[in-house]
Amino acid sequence: MKMTALLSVSGLHLYYRTSRGPVRAVDGVSLELKEGETLAVVGESGSGKSSMAYAIIRVLPRNVQRYCGSVVFDDAGDIVSMDEESVRRKVRWKGISMVFQGAMNSLNPVVKVGEQIMEPLIIHLGYTKEGARGEAARAMVDVGLPDYVMDRYPHELSGGMKQRAVISMALVMKPKLVILDEPTSALDVMTQANIMNLLKRLKRQYGLSYIFITHDLALASELADIVAIMYAGKIVELGSAEDVYLRPAHPYTQKLLRSVPLLREDREPEFIPGAPPDLVDPPPGCRFHPRCPYAKEICRREEPELKDMGGEHMVACHFTGELRGGADGLG
Ligand code: ATP
Ligand code: SF4
């Protein structure tokens, strides 16, 4: 694995304008990803995972209220301050591609699958139809799709095949980084396992980097080198998969780990009490304080910074270190 920094995100913010006020979906996120590494972004629904991905690849909705910080990718420079034309020419799909949540269900129903895979090559790279067909055929082999799929319509494919087609679209322009937003959530368990194996093979084969977005910690553990735990628009814990899984230090991560059912243990999975906050009006201080069993006065007043506990294991909690322990060590 090469260890060059491929992506450096710093102070990234993405707020949406709504009639109730700004939704602070991404509120000061910083992280770094090296070439060939996989970052899993884990958190409950509504924690801002997809918004962070949109901010990185700069696919923004119309109601953006605030988009700032920096996203430096490879040698392309800062995506946040780049003009749209440069993002299109230098970064999006060629450098960073994305498998959007639910993408397999938004394939164009009246266009053959092969043509949909060919399309970005023709539009963005100026391929001829024949050239694009050859490349698309190669990309389909890579994801394990048989030749005949080229001339089929989406409704003629199984869910697993559709998802493979969507992954081949993300790979056809040979990006270095692929963002996968809940890529297996609509699939049955066997198909999910097949897609995870495919992602692992593609990562090995091409030295790809992934940002893998999921609410499922167990699934994340299959691919992740590093894990970011997201809560209410912020990263609350970030570190190697080993540190985050074996030495979780943030109370939220500890609760998340204890909510995962384990086959070979007789303990019952726990539920996290309460609900994630409204991002129009998040709680002051530590955003997790209304749900945290360890909350003290300072937690209601002061926002904890993300601090390095050693070995690049970053945690945002006023009592970092004191609460450190295995997932089963605290109650
Ligand atoms: P999920 O797993 O459910 O997709 P997520 O962690 O990916 O959740 P986001 O989809 O990024 O979270 O949403 C973060 C917050 O931003 C949520 O409160 C969501 O309702 C809100 N949100 C997302 N898009 C918009 C938008 N265009 N306008 C207003 N609010 C939005
Ligand atoms: Fe809990 Fe306080 Fe730590 Fe927040 S800062 S996670 S409320 S102990």
Side-chain angles (χ1 to χ4, degrees), residues 227-248:
V227 179
I229 306 289
M230 213 163 165
Y231 188 79
K234 291 178 179 286
I235 289 178
V236 295
E237 183 155 2
L238 174 68
S240 68
E242 194 180 319
D243 274 341
V244 175
Y245 282 96
L246 300 181
R247 292 172 283 279

Side-chain angles (χ1 to χ4, degrees), residues 121-140:
L121 295 166
I122 297 169
I123 295 174
H124 300 290
L125 297 182
Y127 272 64
T128 61
K129 210 166 171 194
E130 279 65 52
R133 198 175 165 92
E135 276 297 292
R138 182 196 55 73
M140 284 170 51

Side-chain angles (χ1 to χ4, degrees), residues 250-251 286 288-289 292 294-295 299 304 317-319 323:
H250 194 283
C286 172
F288 187 55
H289 86 249
C292 180
Y294 311 106
C299 307
C317 171
H318 289 302
F319 302 102
L323 302 177

